[in-house]
Amino acid sequence: MSSEDDFNSPELPSARQQAAEWFIRLRDKPPSEEARCAFERWLAADPRNREEYQAIQGVWQELDGLRENVFAGSMGRTAATPGAGERHGSGTGWRAVAVAAVLVLSVFTGLWAFLHDPGSYQTAKGEQQTLRLADQSVVHLNSDSALHVELTAGQRTLYLQRGEAYFEVAHDPARPFVVVAAGGSVRAVGTRFDVYRRPSGVRVSVVEGRVKVAVGGGAKELLNAGETVTYGNDGNSLTPIGRNDGDVLDWLDGRIRFDAAPLNEVVEQLNRYQETPLRIADPRLNDLKLSGTFRIANLQALPELLPRMLPVSLERTEDGVLLLRPD
């Protein structure tokens, strides 16, 4: 192209290709002041320009491993925006990889190949899993949980279909991070929070930053660090904001804690981590209280210990269910 502003030419068929041209040009050699100004004008001209440029940056980050393995030492990591101190590769190898990345983008009508985490993730009972998403957010999945992820150039939407997940959100104001669970949603930008889908409803607990919780009935709450709220699975109820009870993230440390917890709540928690279900045969036992901290790895043995801690007896049925009866 003959001048810096040629990158803004209407002859280019799409904002994506313009973004690709800018991406290659600015990383091929240190940009001149004229180029930097033209680039800023192009970004400001249309919100789609910035979205497409950030999308290509995301693709390039995904190719970092390949770039470093093939051309180790020839260039530095990509910066968020062109700036001083950024190293630029000058060999034909760097340009070949850059052009290849752009060609991959042009093959698809969208950016799904790199920006959409395919499918769903799930854990079995007793299993935990840590995921690093394409946007560099981290998700910790607790036992017996299921999560579906959709990342696009303009939105990050995660569907917690079952169980519990702790989210460490990568800061990206241009792409809202929304967790949908049952009848509500949790929106965050650059924060850490836990979402737990229970049979009785959904609990949201904020560890760092702030999130906005909205339910289908229209109610909304803004939660700060250390605060928690619950809502019904039908999305028609939202409790007042409360304080975290201190055990929200115990599971990340491999522990589960009960502080005068009703027996029915204890049973609910135990059933998340073991294949053999535990049932309360007599509802009069529901309100018995249990306190203590237990290792998740040892929870299989806890049902056998309950008769020593509470006035209950344990009975095994033919189908493998464990029943708690009055002692």
Side-chain angles (χ1 to χ4, degrees):
M1 293 188 176
S2 58
S3 71
E4 310 299 348
D5 279 325
D6 284 342
F7 284 104
N8 302 325
S9 169
E11 295 178 1
L12 287 172
S14 68
R16 182 173 306 142
Q17 288 193 9
Q18 294 181 49
E21 291 280 355
W22 273 117
F23 185 84
I24 294 173
R25 177 65 175 267
L26 293 173
R27 278 154 181 74
D28 187 46
K29 61 182 179 180
S32 65
E33 185 62 27
E34 181 183 2
R36 187 180 300 278
C37 291
F39 173 69
E40 294 297 335
R41 289 196 299 271
W42 175 78
L43 283 180
D46 191 324
R48 292 174 298 178
N49 294 346
R50 185 176 297 275
E51 288 183 6
E52 295 295 350
Y53 190 83
Q54 290 175 337
I56 290 178
Q57 284 183 320
V59 171
W60 190 247
Q61 289 172 1
E62 290 297 304
L63 294 175
D64 261 348
L66 172 64
R67 176 165 60 106
E68 291 170 2
N69 289 337
V70 178
F71 305 110
S74 66
M75 75 286 295
R77 294 180 65 85
T78 307
T81 55
E86 180 182 1
R87 292 183 293 161
H88 297 261
S90 57
T92 57
W94 141 240
R95 288 189 61 82
V97 174
V99 171
V102 173
L103 288 175
V104 169
L105 283 174
S106 65
V107 167
F108 295 91
T109 58
L111 297 172
W112 295 96
F114 289 100
L115 298 180
H116 175 81
D117 281 38
S120 298
Y121 305 91
Q122 60 182 357
T123 53
K125 287 183 180 292
E127 177 190 12
Q128 295 178 347
Q129 187 178 150
T130 296
L131 314 170
R132 182 173 292 277
L133 305 181
D135 71 333
Q136 300 306 305
S137 294
V138 176
V139 180
H140 303 272
L141 277 183
N142 202 354
S143 171
D144 194 22
S145 299
L147 181 75
H148 182 72
V149 177
E150 293 183 3
L151 303 184
T152 68
Q155 181 85 14
R156 298 173 289 176
T157 306
L158 295 85
Y159 299 88
L160 184 61
Q161 300 162 323
R162 184 178 73 252
E164 182 175 18
Y166 176 60
F167 303 91
E168 300 176 17
V169 182
H171 186 68
D172 186 353
R175 290 198 291 164
F177 190 101
V178 178
V179 177
V180 178
S185 63
V186 185
R187 180 184 178 118
V189 176
T191 188
R192 302 184 181 195
F193 62 99
D194 184 89
V195 181
Y196 176 22
R197 284 192 64 167
R198 306 177 61 173
S200 58
V202 179
R203 184 195 69 193
V204 180
S205 302
V206 181
V207 175
E208 179 182 301
R210 296 196 299 176
V211 304
K212 179 181 289 185
V213 179
V215 296
K220 297 179 181 179
E221 288 285 7
L222 186 64
L223 271 63
N224 296 300
E227 294 181 336
T228 187
V229 73
T230 61
Y231 61 84
N233 288 318
D234 58 3
N236 289 324
S237 60
L238 189 62
T239 65
I241 293 177
R243 300 297 300 175
N244 290 341
D245 55 13
D247 63 351
V248 171
L249 298 183
D250 281 349
W251 63 274
L252 289 175
D253 296 326
R255 297 178 292 122
I256 185 170
R257 188 197 321 174
F258 300 114
D259 184 11
L263 185 58
N264 59 341
E265 182 178 314
V266 172
V267 169
E268 177 188 319
Q269 293 294 323
L270 291 179
N271 285 341
R272 298 174 64 196
Y273 295 95
Q274 59 184 20
E275 291 293 343
T276 303
L278 186 64
R279 300 285 184 265
I280 298 177
D282 190 328
R284 292 177 297 176
L285 300 179
N286 286 342
D287 294 331
L288 291 177
K289 300 296 192 296
L290 179 69
S291 297
T293 300
F294 307 90
R295 300 297 302 178
I296 291 176
N298 300 328
L299 286 183
Q300 293 288 343
L302 184 54
E304 303 290 345
L305 298 177
L306 288 177
R308 302 182 185 181
M309 296 181 284
L310 297 171
V312 300
S313 61
L314 191 65
E315 177 184 338
R316 294 183 179 274
T317 65
E318 293 182 357
D319 58 3
V321 175
L322 299 176
L323 294 180
L324 287 173
R325 300 184 182 278
D327 194 358

